[in-house]
Amino acid sequence: LLLQTWANGINEAGKMALLAWEKETGIKLVQINGQRHYGGPPPGWEGGPPPAGTEVYIARLPQDIYENTLIPLFQSVGPLYEFRLMMTFSGLNRGFAYARYCSLQDAQKAIATLHRFPLRRGCAIVVCWSTQKHELVLSGLPASLSQQQLEAGLQMLTEGIRSVSLHTSPCQRQARLAVLKYSSHRAAAMAKKALMEGNLRLRKKGIRVDWLGPQLKKKLQLCEEEPSSRWEQRAKSLAVGRPLAVPLSLQNVLECLNMVCWKHRLQTPLFIIRCVQVNPNGWQKFWYQVVIPGYRVPISGFTWVSPDREGQSKQEKAKMVAALHFLRVLGESLHSQLSAFPKVLKSL
């Protein structure tokens, strides 16, 4: 209560000035999920959004400065497509914002002109390129949490998720972490906020949400070891869920996957298979992604393919692993997946 009273006290003049500026200019600001937006697109905009690389990051803002000061300042170097000011619950800004320009040249000009600009005496702001991160890491997850349960829960709590991958944590024993890839930086930032602030049960159990950094990304890549033949057989049995009565082949697996998709009223699966690494001993590492129109997120992963088996190309073997992966994900009905996540939260 004292914090709210203090914030209101120092903010009163700023709020009044902001309201007067909105009325005078006719600009509409929309606040949602801790961000206040201008534009995206602005009034009178025609065509698609500006290309990537046109957004700048603004930091070290005084917390009682608002759009009536910031938007005219950043518009002075070029027209804005969008301006986003991060806000606290008390009505102060969080000290940083994002400005997206209509062209790359205007974004460059903003950095050259406004970096270290003194908004107030002794208060020089930072203006630099926005990093546009798309990936989050959810760490401290229990080892018992399945990918199906995690995907269902994330679908309920966040928007714009593209892929989810579970890994053994390189830092914590008996724990797992998940890499979450989103469609845009904005979607990832909104997901980060929702997971951090909207689910206190996760936070109390030591589960953390952070941006995926290059060091951890490299560690996860190094932890992926070449599979042995026994690992391949175990992975296949886990993916299918029961022994197959027919010989395991790409055709049989694809027929099974198509049948499951038909049962869930989903369309024909689309496969993307790429070789990303070749070892001197003949092993090849493939990245795969399976997209099913109508299903909430693509399924992606990596697999090593051995050089010794004949009668089937390495591309086909990688496609089989991808199909088995999706079969495992679709092993339960969509309804049971969605209903399982609240139970998981209670157990965390």
Side-chain angles (χ1 to χ4, degrees):
L1 182 61
L2 288 175
L3 177 61
Q4 182 69 49
T5 304
W6 172 80
N8 288 338
I10 68 167
N11 249 6
E12 195 65 33
K15 288 178 179 178
M16 295 299 293
L18 177 64
L19 291 172
W21 175 77
E22 286 184 272
K23 186 175 180 180
E24 179 184 351
T25 60
I27 285 177
K28 293 183 179 180
L29 302 175
V30 179
Q31 184 163 338
I32 182 170
N33 293 330
Q35 297 188 26
R36 200 153 60 199
H37 296 256
Y38 159 76
W45 177 266
E46 294 182 1
T54 53
E55 186 174 82
V56 300
Y57 170 71
I58 308 152
R60 297 185 185 174
L61 294 172
Q63 287 191 278
D64 58 341
I65 281 185
Y66 298 113
E67 290 89 345
N68 56 310
T69 298
L70 297 172
I71 288 179
L73 174 65
F74 283 86
Q75 280 181 331
S76 67
V77 299
L80 287 171
Y81 175 81
E82 182 181 44
F83 189 91
R84 297 183 287 129
L85 183 64
M86 307 299 119
M87 302 297 297
T88 69
F89 291 113
S90 62
L92 298 169
N93 77 63
R94 293 172 62 192
F96 66 100
Y98 296 89
R100 190 174 185 185
Y101 284 89
C102 300
S103 69
L104 178 62
Q105 292 76 13
D106 287 338
Q108 291 173 327
K109 188 177 178 183
I111 294 173
T113 306
L114 299 176
H115 180 53
R116 297 182 180 175
F117 180 85
L119 272 179
R120 291 177 181 167
R121 178 177 293 182
C123 181
I125 61 174
V126 170
V127 183
C128 59
W129 292 110
S130 173
T131 55
Q132 292 292 305
K133 296 178 180 178
H134 289 200
E135 292 177 302
L136 301 175
V137 59
L138 197 60
S139 58
L141 296 170
S144 58
L145 182 65
S146 71
Q147 181 151 336
Q148 296 98 312
Q149 292 168 331
L150 179 61
E151 288 172 359
L154 291 170
Q155 183 70 15
M156 295 167 64
L157 296 172
T158 69
E159 296 181 359
I161 191 163
R162 287 287 177 86
S163 65
V164 179
S165 57
L166 269 175
H167 305 264
T168 301
S169 174
C171 307
Q172 296 175 277
R173 292 183 177 181
Q174 304 298 322
R176 307 181 79 184
L177 59 83
V179 174
L180 320 176
K181 189 170 184 179
Y182 285 84
S183 58
S184 66
H185 173 73
R186 180 176 175 181
M190 290 294 94
K192 184 173 184 288
K193 180 177 175 62
L195 291 169
M196 288 178 64
E197 298 181 0
N199 203 319
L200 296 177
R201 187 177 286 116
L202 292 181
R203 294 169 64 192
K204 287 178 181 178
K205 293 297 182 180
I207 297 176
R208 294 186 53 185
V209 186
D210 296 291
W211 294 107
L212 178 62
Q215 292 183 345
L216 179 57
K217 195 170 187 176
K218 188 174 181 180
K219 278 185 181 180
L220 293 176
Q221 290 172 347
L222 292 174
C223 285
E224 292 173 357
E225 298 178 354
E226 297 180 359
S228 65
S229 58
R230 282 189 298 175
W231 181 92
E232 286 182 311
Q233 294 300 325
R234 185 167 72 251
K236 289 171 182 175
S237 64
L238 285 172
V240 176
R242 60 177 180 237
L244 292 175
V246 295
L248 192 63
S249 69
L250 179 59
Q251 182 179 354
N252 292 333
V253 172
L254 290 179
E255 286 177 358
C256 183
L257 179 57
N258 288 332
M259 186 181 300
V260 174
C261 289
W262 175 82
K263 180 180 178 181
H264 287 295
R265 298 182 181 179
L266 299 172
Q267 298 181 34
T268 304
L270 305 174
F271 291 84
I272 304 172
I273 311 291
R274 293 176 186 166
C275 180
V276 295
Q277 185 178 340
V278 179
N279 280 6
N281 57 10
W283 285 79
Q284 291 187 12
K285 183 179 180 182
F286 284 85
W287 172 82
Y288 60 82
Q289 186 173 76
V290 189
V291 180
I292 297 183
Y295 191 69
R296 56 185 178 272
V297 292
I299 297 298
S300 58
F302 293 90
T303 184
W304 286 92
V305 175
S306 63
D308 52 0
R309 208 175 292 172
E310 297 180 358
Q312 190 179 40
S313 72
K314 295 181 177 65
Q315 194 91 2
E316 288 176 332
K317 285 186 268 186
K319 188 173 182 179
M320 182 189 294
V321 173
L324 288 168
H325 186 172
F326 219 126
L327 271 173
R328 183 181 60 199
V329 172
L330 292 175
E332 301 175 3
S333 69
L334 300 180
H335 176 74
S336 65
Q337 289 179 20
L338 290 172
S339 62
F341 193 72
K343 297 176 183 178
V344 173
L345 291 183
K346 290 180 182 179
S347 66
L348 294 177

